[in-house]
Amino acid sequence: MTKAASLTRICVAYLAALAVACAWLAWGWSSSLWLDALVADLLATLVIFGFSRYHHNSSFYDAYWSVVPPLLAGYWWAAGGLGVDDVRAWMVMTVVVVWAVRLTANWVVGWPGLEHEDWRYPMLRERAGRWGLLADLFGIHLFPTIQVFLGMLPVYVAVTRTGRDVGWLDVLALVLGLGAVALELAADTQMRRFVRDRQPGAVMDRGLWGWSRHPNYLGEIGFWFALALFGVATVPADAWWLFVGVLAMLAMFLGASIPMMEERSLERRPSYQDVIDRVPRLVPRPPRRTRA
């Protein structure tokens, strides 16, 4: 199957998911804006899960991570009562849309088509054994959806509530959010060039990757932290819970994504151990020199 045909099937799946979500939002039983959005989000995820199972490829879900946040933010803003002249809402939407377009475009460019499935998915299903179907449903589809929803709750606060006037914290969140997207763009561009030109067994320790082993994940965490700051800027009294999503993201990257990536890198390229010894895992600093 060609890449164009694969992307067409992905688009059909996402349009079907969007239709189900919109149907719920139109006729759902709840009067709570955030709860209606959560149920719609979960129903849409189940649609994508159905397409994943039918095509035997859970990478149908890959773009869901970046496609849904701007839809959630736009729905909340439109239904929440804030006017189109709300400056903070425009700032939040700018960060979310720029991030979503960049990340989705990066996936489209790098994804070869339906003959490819993210290497982590078969591994998770195999490790689950006879519970592989549940691992696919919850671990690959529903759990990430809930994580992203938690990360978006500060956006819900920022685009539905009339809080403090726009101030320095909003500006900081805007700069941090756009800077995080720029960091991810630079890191992914450098990695793509390295993969294109690398020699067998070579490991990436150049540019941003010489200062942090996972600068792309650092940028992703920075984006979600920026969203939390927008929520705090709106209602400072809610700061105690607005970072729940960021903490969930941090736990996922540090507890699962990074260890899995590094385990795989060591299995395929033992010289990666030298990178681990010299380059910090996440927070950037100059790499240590190799001892003679």
Side-chain angles (χ1 to χ4, degrees):
M1 183 182 299
T2 65
K3 182 173 180 177
S6 297
L7 288 173
T8 298
R9 296 198 180 197
I10 294 291
C11 289
V12 169
Y14 279 66
L15 288 174
L18 179 61
V20 169
C22 289
W24 171 262
L25 294 176
W27 299 301
W29 54 267
S30 173
S31 60
S32 171
L33 199 59
W34 72 266
L35 183 56
D36 271 337
L38 175 59
V39 175
D41 198 4
L42 294 173
L43 290 174
T45 302
L46 292 177
V47 173
I48 300 300
F49 174 69
F51 276 88
S52 295
R53 297 300 299 180
Y54 178 79
H55 289 86
H56 306 287
N57 190 330
S58 292
S59 279
F60 260 85
Y61 183 83
D62 287 351
Y64 198 87
W65 182 280
S66 56
V67 168
V68 167
L71 298 179
L72 283 175
Y75 167 70
W76 284 332
W77 187 9
L82 287 184
V84 296
D85 58 345
D86 189 88
V87 176
R88 178 178 288 118
W90 277 109
M91 295 170 75
V92 174
M93 286 299 300
T94 297
V95 172
V96 172
V97 170
V98 169
W99 168 83
V101 171
R102 203 288 313 175
L103 190 55
T104 306
N106 183 71
W107 174 77
V108 171
V109 170
W111 187 59
L114 281 174
E115 74 277 4
H116 169 82
E117 184 180 35
D118 188 298
W119 59 270
R120 289 167 291 192
Y121 302 158
M123 183 177 68
L124 287 172
R125 292 192 296 264
E126 290 171 6
R127 288 180 176 179
R130 62 177 179 171
W131 306 107
L133 177 65
L134 294 179
D136 196 357
L137 173 60
F138 289 97
I140 298 173
H141 291 80
L142 290 177
F143 181 68
T145 291
I146 293 172
Q147 274 195 303
V148 169
F149 193 88
L150 289 175
M152 286 293 293
L153 287 179
V155 173
Y156 172 79
V157 170
V159 301
T160 62
R161 296 190 187 180
T162 303
R164 282 188 173 185
D165 292 337
V166 172
W168 66 270
L169 191 55
D170 295 281
V171 175
L172 175 61
L174 178 67
V175 172
L176 176 60
L178 295 179
V181 174
L183 175 60
E184 288 185 283
L185 174 61
D188 286 340
T189 300
Q190 290 176 3
M191 179 58 77
R192 186 173 293 111
R193 290 173 179 169
F194 169 76
V195 170
R196 181 190 63 198
D197 302 330
R198 70 181 171 188
Q199 300 298 317
V203 293
M204 179 53 155
D205 59 354
R206 309 169 193 170
L208 294 170
W209 301 82
W211 289 63
S212 169
R213 299 202 300 274
H214 303 279
N216 53 339
Y217 289 158
L218 178 63
E220 188 70 6
I221 293 168
F223 164 75
W224 295 105
F225 188 80
L227 298 189
L229 291 182
F230 276 122
V232 174
T234 307
V235 186
D238 286 348
W240 63 274
W241 66 268
L242 289 173
F243 289 93
V244 170
V246 179
L247 293 175
M249 295 291 178
L250 190 62
M252 179 190 71
F253 287 125
L254 294 180
S257 298
I258 290 177
M260 290 172 69
M261 290 290 294
E262 300 209 322
E263 179 183 351
R264 184 171 186 257
S265 293
L266 285 170
E267 289 176 354
R268 302 174 70 191
R269 294 175 291 275
S271 59
Y272 186 70
Q273 183 62 51
D274 176 65
V275 178
I276 293 176
D277 294 338
R278 294 185 296 106
V279 180
R281 178 171 55 173
L282 197 61
V283 180
R285 62 160 172 75
R288 296 188 183 97
R289 293 183 179 180
T290 303
R291 295 182 179 178

